């Protein structure tokens, strides 16, 4: 079983039934990453060039046929970051950055051999976000990314030109020690082993037909 599979306990995650204050037993200090502000932008890129590296197999037979491309991680690489506070809007700032998305590309070469290679796409962002007031602990800017593409054309050696759907979430975050109400430690249920019930259905058949 699991938290959400036939496990009955008031010390596990899930929907609150009854008085939400019932069971609160302490104030707990937890170390977390607090999000002060965030925004999401989704764009469709067209005619974006991917330069391929790190081929596997290492020596494909050209030309290549594009199969698909997708981001290899949800964490974007931020560079050229500039945070410029906006004087007329307290706590607001202009956040400019280049967000690089690592990409894995699947292809089939001229010999019919399937392969993969790596590449990256850099997205320029220029947005307004709220930033925390001055403090000893610094905040940071993080990017959550996603890229998917099913349309691409082989345009040169080691190069595809693709159309892609891209999502970028920029966040202002800080590692903090936060005081929160607590219901105490979680009760952990035993795991339910996965088994294929090979005989399920067969054992339920009658001995003789009706």
């Amino acid at each position: 079983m699991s938290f959400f599979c036939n496990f009955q306990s008031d010390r596990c995650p899930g929907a609150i039934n009854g008085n939400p204050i019932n069971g609160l037993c302490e104030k707990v200090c937890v170390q977390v990453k607090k999000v002060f502000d965030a925004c999401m932008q989704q764009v469709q890129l067209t005619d974006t060039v991917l330069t391929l590296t790190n081929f596997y197999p290492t020596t494909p037979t050209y030309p290549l046929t594009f199969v698909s491309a997708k981001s290899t991680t949800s964490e974007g690489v931020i560079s050229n970051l500039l945070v410029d506070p906006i004087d007329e809007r307290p706590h607001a700032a202009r956040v400019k950055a280049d967000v690089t998305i690592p990409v894995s590309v699947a292809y089939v070469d001229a010999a019919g051999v399937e392969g993969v290679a790596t590449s990256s796409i850099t997205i320029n962002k220029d947005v307004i976000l709220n930033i925390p007031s001055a403090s000893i602990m610094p905040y940071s800017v993080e990017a959550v990314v996603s890229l998917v593409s099913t349309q691409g054309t082989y345009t040169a050696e080691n190069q595809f030109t693709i159309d892609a759907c891209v999502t970028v979430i920029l966040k202002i975050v800080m590692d903090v020690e936060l005081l929160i109400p607590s219901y105490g430690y979680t009760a952990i249920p035993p795991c339910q082993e996965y088994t294929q019930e090979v005989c399920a259905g067969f054992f339920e058949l009658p001995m003789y037909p009706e």
Side-chain angles (χ1 to χ4, degrees):
M1 62 185 65
S2 70
F3 287 139
F4 305 101
C5 182
N6 298 323
F7 183 60
Q8 301 297 324
S9 173
D10 59 357
R11 292 297 182 91
C12 69
I16 296 176
N17 295 315
N19 185 354
I21 300 179
N22 183 39
L24 284 176
C25 57
E26 60 179 333
K27 292 183 289 184
V28 188
C29 181
V30 296
Q31 186 172 343
V32 297
K33 184 173 290 186
K34 181 177 178 179
V35 179
F36 286 86
D37 201 3
C39 67
M40 177 175 70
Q41 292 184 334
Q42 295 179 304
V43 295
Q44 179 178 339
L45 302 180
T46 57
D47 297 329
T48 299
V49 175
L50 292 181
T51 301
L52 307 181
T53 58
N54 301 319
F55 286 87
Y56 182 82
T58 55
T59 54
T61 303
Y62 296 98
L64 307 178
T65 300
F66 180 83
V67 176
S68 64
K70 62 180 181 179
S71 49
T72 60
T73 177
S74 61
E75 183 177 351
V77 179
I78 292 181
S79 58
N80 301 321
L81 176 64
L82 175 63
V83 179
D84 187 16
I86 301 174
D87 293 336
E88 60 272 19
R89 292 180 57 180
H91 299 296
R94 179 184 181 184
V95 179
K96 296 180 62 178
D98 295 333
V99 181
T100 300
I101 306 172
V103 176
S104 175
V105 182
Y107 64 84
V108 176
D109 73 3
V113 178
E114 297 180 352
V116 293
T118 60
S119 186
S120 65
I121 289 179
T122 298
I123 307 294
N124 306 114
K125 289 300 174 186
D126 190 352
V127 299
I128 296 176
L129 289 170
N130 271 26
I131 58 175
S133 56
S135 64
I136 295 175
M137 299 300 296
Y139 66 85
S140 61
V141 181
E142 293 184 354
V144 176
V145 297
S146 175
L147 178 146
V148 176
S149 174
T150 58
Q151 298 182 8
T153 305
Y154 180 74
T155 49
E157 185 169 329
N158 301 345
Q159 182 176 294
F160 283 120
T161 299
I162 69 168
D163 296 339
C165 302
V166 177
T167 299
V168 177
I169 301 174
L170 286 180
K171 300 188 292 183
I172 305 295
V173 300
M174 181 188 297
D175 290 325
V176 301
E177 293 179 350
L178 200 63
L179 192 65
I180 63 172
S182 169
Y183 293 90
Y185 293 110
T186 300
I188 305 296
C191 291
Q192 179 181 5
E193 297 289 343
Y194 174 77
T195 58
Q196 287 185 317
E197 298 293 340
V198 177
C199 296
F202 179 76
F203 285 161
E204 297 170 3
L205 292 175
M207 182 63 69
Y208 302 104
E210 295 179 359

